[in-house]
Amino acid sequence: MKRYGGARGQGPGELQSIVDFSIHENNLWIADVRQRRILHFDVATGRYLGEVQVPEIHPLRIVQVGPYLIVLGLGPFEELFAQYDTSGRFHRRFGIVTDRQYAKKIGMSGQLASLGDTAFVFVPLMAGYAFIFDTTGTLRGRFPLLDERPFPDSRVEDRPEGRLYIAPTSDTLNRNILVEENQLYVHTAYRKPVRRLFIDAYLLPEGRYVHSIEVANAPLGALLGGDRVYVLDDTLVAVLRLRQR
């Protein structure tokens, strides 16, 4: 086991509020939402290599795609993503996936995964769709997930200072995604009528549904790795081996 980062703080290699990380070859990137920066470490040695300042955005999710960092921002922006090169130079904002997002500046959480060195996939937290963007900011593909849940509407409150759009809630959440070879695995958690977790597989890039894995008794979620599922509980991690039926 390796430890990355020093003491809690604002100095070089120090972190305050970790929200996500991304591993690409021997590079580990850790997003600190409070400090608006992404710290860079050597995976093998744990050595601190530098950081990327992201003053344009509060980082929520990150992924390295070739020579670029793609950052999903926290907050009500018209475009979802900010793009930087790995030296820290800002390139562009991009990523409109719904008309309501643009009109109401709805912030959207979700999951990111690299598709090689030129593209990535984005799966929103609360909607049954997947979107494929390339590193020029172009939307290259979109396909519905198995349940094809629509984007939930935000709540609207009229206050003395103006109209306020409040992020929606949902009983169904896309908790994690994984890309292995040419398949996208989406981990979807259902809270009602009973708590259930499914890992659904889709072929890329067309998005054809392949199969699903139901994982019982996973209160904190599960991760798929090869032929094993790692089930997270309050005090332990159980490892399950998959069998074909």
Side-chain angles (χ1 to χ4, degrees):
M1 179 179 293
K2 291 189 181 296
R3 179 188 178 99
Y4 299 92
R8 181 184 178 92
Q10 300 179 353
E14 296 179 341
L15 296 153
Q16 288 193 355
S17 184
I18 298 173
V19 289
D20 198 22
F21 68 92
S22 175
I23 296 175
H24 179 81
E25 297 175 346
N26 198 42
N27 300 292
L28 169 64
W29 302 91
I30 301 177
D32 188 324
V33 65
R34 182 174 297 176
Q35 300 189 78
R36 290 194 183 188
R37 63 181 184 173
I38 301 170
L39 277 64
H40 185 197
F41 296 90
D42 183 287
V43 170
T45 66
R47 184 167 62 94
Y48 171 66
L49 300 176
E51 65 183 49
V52 172
Q53 297 282 344
V54 290
E56 297 85 5
I57 199 168
H58 284 89
L60 181 63
R61 296 286 181 263
I62 58 171
V63 66
Q64 183 177 349
V65 183
Y68 299 108
L69 288 175
I70 306 298
V71 184
L72 173 66
L74 176 66
F77 302 109
E78 292 181 354
E79 294 97 359
L80 289 174
F81 310 110
Q83 181 184 27
Y84 303 82
D85 60 33
T86 53
S87 67
R89 185 164 64 95
F90 174 76
H91 280 257
R92 60 174 62 88
R93 293 291 304 261
F94 67 93
I96 299 294
V97 296
T98 74
D99 293 338
R100 292 200 309 276
Q101 171 203 336
Y102 182 82
K104 300 179 180 179
K105 297 182 175 60
I106 300 173
M108 289 186 185
S109 181
Q111 310 297 334
L112 303 176
S114 172
L115 301 177
D117 288 338
T118 60
F120 68 96
V121 60
F122 166 62
V123 175
L125 180 67
M126 299 183 189
Y129 296 91
F131 301 86
I132 297 175
F133 291 89
D134 65 21
T135 51
T136 70
T138 302
L139 178 63
R140 292 297 184 184
R142 162 182 168 151
F143 58 86
L145 302 182
L146 192 59
D147 56 7
E148 203 168 346
R149 282 170 287 120
F151 284 90
D153 286 318
S154 56
R155 292 190 295 114
V156 180
E157 291 186 6
D158 289 316
R159 298 186 177 182
E161 61 271 21
R163 177 162 290 185
L164 178 66
Y165 294 95
I166 301 172
T169 59
S170 176
D171 290 320
T172 304
L173 302 174
N174 299 318
R175 298 285 298 275
N176 196 16
I177 63 174
L178 171 71
V179 173
E180 286 191 342
E181 297 179 350
N182 65 333
Q183 292 197 17
L184 169 68
Y185 297 90
V186 180
H187 303 199
T188 303
Y190 298 84
R191 289 187 291 186
K192 292 181 180 180
V194 295
R195 188 181 295 272
R196 305 169 77 185
L197 175 68
F198 289 88
I199 302 175
D200 302 320
Y202 304 85
L203 283 179
L204 293 172
E206 67 272 21
R208 180 169 64 84
Y209 168 72
V210 181
H211 63 257
S212 295
I213 303 166
E214 182 176 5
V215 183
N217 301 319
L220 298 182
L223 298 173
L224 179 66
D227 64 346
R228 290 173 170 82
V229 177
Y230 300 85
V231 180
L232 311 181
D233 204 335
D234 292 322
T235 57
L236 57 85
V237 177
V239 182
L240 308 178
R241 184 185 293 272
L242 299 177
R243 292 185 300 176
Q244 296 289 335
R245 296 179 59 181

